[in-house]
Amino acid sequence: MIQELLDIASWAVRLAERNGAEEAEAFVYGEKRMSITFHEKLEAFKTSNSVGVGIRVAIGRKVGFSSASTLSKQELKKIVKISIAKARATQEDPYWKGLPEKSGRSTVKDVYDNRISRITHSNIMEAVKLVMDTVKDQNRDLELSRGNLHVVSNEKAIVNSYGISAKSRGTLASFYLNVTVEKAGKKGSSWELESSRFWKGIDFEKLAVSTSRRAIDMLNASPIPSGKTNVVFGNKVFANLLTIMFGNTLTAYAVQEGRSPWSGKVGNVIASESFSLIDDGSMPDGMGTRKYDDEGIPQQTTVLVDKGVLRSYLYDTYTAKRDDVISTGNAFRSIGFSAKPFSNIPRPAPTNLILKGSKSSEEELIREAKNGVYVVSTIGEWLSNPISGQLSVTVTNAYKIEKGELTKPVKGIIISGNFFDTIKEKIVLIAKNVAHSSLAYSPSVLVKDLVVAGK
Amino acid sequence: MMEDLLKYAVNYATKLGAIYADARYQCVTTSSVVVEKGIVKSCSTNRLLGIGIRVMLGSWGFSSTNNLTKASVKESVKDALRVAKSSRSLAMASKLAEVRPSKGSFISPVKVKPEDVSQEELIDLTISANKASIVSDAIKSAITHLGMYEDERFFVSSEGSDIRVKVTMTGLSHLSVAVDRGNMERVFDQMSYCAGYEFIKENDWQSFTKDLSETSIEAVKSDVPKAGNYEVVMDPKLIGLFLHEALGHASEGDLVAKGSSILRGRLGQHVASELVTIVDDGYVEGGFYVPYDDEGVRKTETVVVEKGVLKTHLSSRIVSSSLGIPLTGNARAEDFNNIPLVRQTNFYMKGGDMSFEELIEDVKDGLYLVGRGGGGEVDVGGATFTFSIGPSYRIKGGELKGMIRGTTVSGSILETLKTVDGVGKDVKVTTSVFGGCGKDGQLAKVGDGGPHVRVRSLRVGGKG
């Protein structure tokens, strides 16, 4: 399949050049996807095969783009013509300095699990049955409210007028579970989202057990009084915060377009000395690891924040040429494992955003907090403002910390504050238990004196 | 011709044993122009087309393809049946509520088709809207996005339905970022309408973007309110967002049936103050156009809450049958690649009898919250909602006094609805060509809104 994609990409680029494009690029994509949703019983089981092509052309500094969800040459001829027509009609972009030039072979290994690409309906059914049975076994009153398991295997090929001819493929399995319980008029709910590039990377039974236990704990959960408190953010929660607060604003695109508070701050201290953040597109088995980015440039490691000092932004080719630097291999046409990356132009985005862990265990953090709250899950954190730094998260599952230990379950509080001040002045301790969520890998983090709106 | 392919698909599926089958063809064309600080950043057109086939054999089996040939469709039918059969042991015993097969063609009103507008005109308009927003040096970023969307769907079922729906929507969005002494604030808004390019032509986009910039400049100098509970008056955009998150999702019958909605078991109970009446309707001025859902069921006005009492939930054919509630035509899929889920269409509050001034004048110390550019999320099982608000205002002694910066608001769904103590007359429903509502990985275009509404107590996140 992949060679076919590469051939189509080459053909499309040659066609565009013959029709008047001075520069042309074709991004050709194909995927196989299976998704099952269930609760106490199965709801739906779907399979889909998707393909698509995105054509970017430039005539001088005028750039046009068009895409279609097909590999048919007849349709592709149309979209090549449309993208050229757009390039002719549009206005010049003074910052356009060309499509990427070939930049050597990648040393990054694609993350591809044959088990996923060959997965059968019965493999998926077995996993679902295991989850259903495990939840039932935990407690009679538990209800499996929602479960979703989906697996994807995809391939892409990128060819352009400067000799780039790159192919890359990947697999993903993603599992979501929400368990609820109702007893004596009280309600408890808990959820978990786990993703892996490998089928074996998801421990269905373990997740079903932990989610069930937390749902039961949350039966008796209540808000804590409003005020200032110490907070231990669980690793996945902090990974979500890092994604929201840095995922877009540390890209050169946001900086160059004036939509980042980090503009002009390279070399400045922006966080505490214990805070080091990298983007590692080459991380073995990383969730965002690919041999080539979506422009055909090899992915790599970029140091973003080193012991609190801002060192770099994330670049694709357009932004790199504008700053007279080299692309950091961070071009993405979509976030996560979307089915339609071919319908967008590339922009920089994180691959694997990694906050360096320390040597402390999560228990040490809780002990060090003495009194406060340990946050396991939240909603609404994506509504925080990465431009002003205003953080606001609604806590759905948490535990009170009293005298260095976890005690009562907590829910229904809002934690707010300024994230930028928090990472500069309020980080007390970072743990070693790195886990993945959204676009980041993070350990748990203890922060002091955040404002809680509760009872 | 496409209908023939769809009819072939459902006939083949029933021949191979499906109790019910439907096939959806879809062709979506989106065009956009993006301008940042006067420069065209992208000018693009995208087309997505394909067929999705759904079969019922206890639970749903589904398969989709972009390859519009008979051979590929045949494979998809077999795939859909294969997955349905393999999951039969764990499937729900489901019955489909009856629906009379429909035939017809429904096209949302368009005066000027997007494809009839020249590229140059689209680009010039977007550039001029963008340039008008650069009111001073304080504006560090200004991004304007012109969007045009045409979604054509054909639906054919094994029961004889044959429906075509074509929706055209256009809109423009803008984001301004202002800086003041090291602080930054962004303000976003958009206006869309189910219409052709005539909607774009008849609006004053330069004033629209200029106003956003001026608001961001004032907002960056304003304070975030202290965290706590406040008496608030919400604007139509915010009440729309609030209802969507606080009650809309909980009203989705599939969530009720699974036990993950706070509204389960509450039909006939008071879930809101008696001033509150909420409906879900497939056609309302300013909203998104949904004459039929993706199961071929007509979408008419569904009264969800009437004077505070919960009347019904939103349903699909399976949900209607399993919960014993009316079929409301709310089964919608993002595209041909996805299975329909129960989704809202235009979910909004009906007007009352108070004016905006009357609502404000009884508030001694509170907030006037504006939903412009906001978004929200709900934890249906945990019964809490949370959403973000744009720059808003303090109310002191019955008058608006001073801007506050955007922040987030959250609370308990049922508690908050019961404290509505004033409902305005000025209902406004809006929709968006950009983005939509997310559920189970699917984006649905929706409309939302209502009048200005006063709530006795709402928890505001505030400053740290």
Side-chain angles (χ1 to χ4, degrees), chain B residues 97-165:
Chain B
E98 286 218 2
V99 67
R100 203 159 1 140
S102 295
K103 289 193 210 286
S105 189
F106 303 86
I107 302 179
S108 71
V110 175
K111 294 201 188 104
V112 180
K113 292 194 196 144
E115 70 243 33
D116 292 341
V117 187
S118 75
Q119 284 305 305
E120 286 83 353
E121 183 171 348
L122 298 176
I123 289 165
D124 285 344
L125 182 135
T126 316
I127 290 180
S128 75
N130 183 265
K131 285 190 168 157
S133 73
I134 308 186
V135 299
S136 78
D137 278 338
I139 298 296
K140 289 299 176 218
S141 180
I143 170 169
T144 312
H145 193 151
L146 173 68
M148 302 196 294
Y149 165 91
E150 277 175 299
D151 183 352
E152 180 169 32
R153 301 185 188 207
F154 285 90
F155 174 84
V156 165
S157 78
S158 55
E159 291 167 346
S161 278
D162 186 345
I163 301 163
R164 174 185 175 226
V165 176

Side-chain angles (χ1 to χ4, degrees), chain B residues 212-404:
Chain B
L212 279 169
S213 286
E214 285 166 356
T215 304
S216 70
I217 289 171
E218 203 186 333
V220 72
K221 297 181 191 144
S222 307
D223 244 333
V224 177
K226 242 178 68 180
N229 292 308
Y230 288 83
E231 184 170 12
V232 310
V233 172
M234 301 199 223
D235 82 331
K237 186 63 204 162
L238 190 61
I239 193 67
L241 206 56
F242 171 67
L243 288 183
H244 177 101
E245 295 304 336
L247 203 70
H249 281 296
S251 296
E252 288 159 4
D254 52 355
L255 298 182
V256 175
K258 286 190 290 194
S260 51
S261 161
I262 192 78
L263 295 179
R264 178 164 74 166
R266 290 188 196 264
L267 286 179
Q269 288 182 17
H270 275 278
V271 295
S273 116
E274 48 185 47
L275 299 171
V276 173
T277 292
I278 300 166
V279 304
D280 181 270
D281 196 347
Y283 183 74
V284 62
E285 166 77 32
F288 191 67
Y289 180 72
V290 190
Y292 275 85
D293 72 1
D294 289 317
E295 282 189 314
V297 178
R298 191 114 178 76
K299 175 67 221 173
T300 52
E301 187 187 77
T302 303
V303 179
V304 177
V305 172
E306 189 164 41
K307 298 201 176 93
V309 177
L310 184 65
K311 306 300 278 182
T312 189
H313 307 297
L314 305 177
S315 67
S316 62
R317 295 180 67 182
I318 282 189
V319 167
S320 161
S321 165
S322 71
L323 288 181
I325 59 174
L327 186 55
T328 62
N330 283 80
R332 305 175 62 203
E334 174 180 341
D335 54 31
F336 66 91
N337 263 320
N338 283 291
I339 297 190
L341 304 171
V342 177
R343 309 302 299 264
Q344 301 159 59
T345 59
N346 298 293
F347 195 82
Y348 68 98
M349 188 186 287
K350 293 279 198 176
D353 55 9
M354 291 178 78
S355 70
F356 176 65
E357 292 71 27
E358 284 169 324
L359 288 169
I360 300 263
E361 77 193 6
D362 285 335
V363 178
K364 293 191 182 60
D365 185 5
L367 301 175
Y368 170 45
L369 299 182
V370 173
R372 150 185 277 186
E377 184 171 1
V378 68
D379 176 12
V380 212
T384 48
F385 63 86
T386 189
F387 50 88
S388 70
I389 57 173
S392 297
Y393 302 88
R394 293 186 199 276
I395 308 174
K396 294 253 191 250
E399 284 178 3
L400 293 185
K401 280 217 172 12
M403 188 182 275
I404 48 171

Side-chain angles (χ1 to χ4, degrees), chain A residues 246-315:
Chain A
F246 287 121
N248 181 255
T249 49
L250 278 182
T251 67
Y253 192 64
V255 170
Q256 289 165 1
E257 297 308 326
R259 284 184 274 113
S260 170
W262 311 115
S263 172
K265 300 248 166 84
V266 171
N268 287 19
V269 172
I270 65 160
S272 98
E273 237 191 351
S274 58
F275 190 97
S276 288
L277 190 71
I278 62 170
D279 180 271
D280 187 359
S282 66
M283 175 185 172
D285 303 341
M287 290 303 298
T289 299
R290 305 168 308 171
K291 206 170 173 130
Y292 295 101
D293 74 2
D294 285 345
E295 288 184 302
I297 302 291
Q299 294 198 170
Q300 60 175 62
T301 307
T302 304
V303 175
L304 292 167
V305 181
D306 184 30
K307 300 196 188 71
V309 179
L310 182 64
R311 290 290 176 214
S312 172
Y313 307 121
L314 297 176
Y315 289 88

